[in-house]
Amino acid sequence: MAKQAKTTSSDWTAGIVAIAAAVLLGGAIPVALYYALYVPRVREREAEEVKLRTLHDDEQLLMARRDRVKGLEDDADAMRKRLAEVEEQFTAPTEFGDLVAHITKLAASNHLRLRADQAQMVRAKVVYDGNRRINFAKGLKASQILVEGQAWYHDLGRFITELESLKNAVVLVESLEMRGDQNGGYSHNFKLSLYVIERRELDAVGK
């Protein structure tokens, strides 16, 4: 009888141990799955969120840079347009001969004529190419035109006014030498040095 009771007690104890082990093992499986699968996924997601925020910040920076570049391009286009309008007033080198001819007609219309001592010279001119060039900074150039002859003061003054009012050229007066009529008249000898600003290629401006 005692032996049977002892056997029953051992079976009960083994059953308790078996139940406890099942409970513990059953709880351990979800915990193992949590640490093995869920936690890495959470960390991976957090890392991806950090990358996403970084990419978003980079995108915002790139968009700001794009807008700045666009603004600079717009400013450059506006400046090029303004520069083209300024350069359009200057004389292209190929138009220099035409401008000399135009100034010659302008001189004649204002009664500027050859000096008395040049009247018999075959190739004497009132207006002619001065054969001098001035180079300024940033590629700007100016070519000389000389006007030499006789005129009354008011005729010469009107001629200079019309030169400075030309729409298709920028003409600057460099110097004026004048000698009064030695005979007490009104026809004075003069020598006028002008410079005509030359038009530049827009892409070469500032280089």
Side-chain angles (χ1 to χ4, degrees):
M1 187 73 176
K3 184 177 180 180
Q4 185 178 0
K6 185 176 181 180
T7 300
T8 303
S9 176
S10 296
D11 292 341
W12 174 254
T13 301
I16 293 298
V17 170
I19 293 171
V23 171
L24 289 175
L25 287 175
I29 290 173
V31 171
L33 290 174
Y34 175 81
Y35 282 103
L37 299 177
Y38 181 74
V39 171
R41 291 292 184 180
V42 170
R43 290 175 180 171
E44 184 179 348
R45 187 199 67 192
E46 291 174 347
E48 291 299 325
E49 288 177 348
V50 170
K51 290 180 181 179
L52 182 61
R53 287 194 295 271
T54 301
L55 288 173
H56 181 266
D57 293 342
D58 290 343
E59 181 185 20
Q60 295 299 315
L61 182 60
L62 288 173
M63 290 176 65
R65 288 179 178 174
R66 181 199 62 189
D67 292 342
R68 183 169 180 272
V69 169
K70 181 66 167 58
L72 291 173
E73 289 175 345
D74 291 343
D75 290 344
D77 290 341
M79 186 59 66
R80 184 182 178 88
K81 183 178 179 181
R82 289 176 57 189
L83 182 59
E85 291 173 352
V86 171
E87 290 290 329
E88 188 63 29
Q89 302 174 54
F90 299 158
T91 302
T94 55
E95 300 169 354
F96 185 74
D98 294 337
L99 181 61
V100 172
H102 180 68
I103 293 176
T104 300
K105 291 180 181 178
L106 206 60
S109 68
N110 284 285
H111 312 296
L112 276 63
R113 59 193 180 281
L114 290 172
R115 295 195 318 261
D117 60 336
Q118 291 181 318
Q120 303 302 320
M121 296 174 61
V122 177
R123 296 183 180 178
K125 295 179 181 179
V126 173
V127 181
Y128 54 96
D129 184 349
N131 293 316
R132 282 185 58 194
R133 230 175 170 200
I134 297 177
N135 294 320
F136 299 100
K138 307 302 181 183
L140 197 63
K141 297 181 177 64
S143 293
Q144 187 186 44
I145 295 177
L146 293 175
V147 184
E148 188 173 2
Q150 288 182 315
W152 287 20
Y153 284 138
H154 69 276
D155 288 331
L156 182 60
R158 187 168 57 246
F159 170 70
I160 292 175
T161 299
E162 291 185 11
L163 281 179
E164 294 181 340
S165 302
L166 287 174
K167 300 298 183 183
N168 61 340
V170 176
V171 180
L172 306 177
V173 177
E174 180 202 24
S175 63
L176 172 61
E177 300 174 16
M178 182 169 286
R179 187 176 59 190
D181 192 329
Q182 300 300 304
N183 298 318
Y186 301 101
S187 186
H188 309 289
N189 294 328
F190 67 88
K191 185 174 183 178
L192 181 63
S193 176
L194 311 170
Y195 276 92
V196 180
I197 306 300
E198 294 183 8
R199 190 181 307 158
R200 297 168 291 180
E201 293 291 336
L202 292 183
D203 293 334
V205 174
K207 294 183 180 179

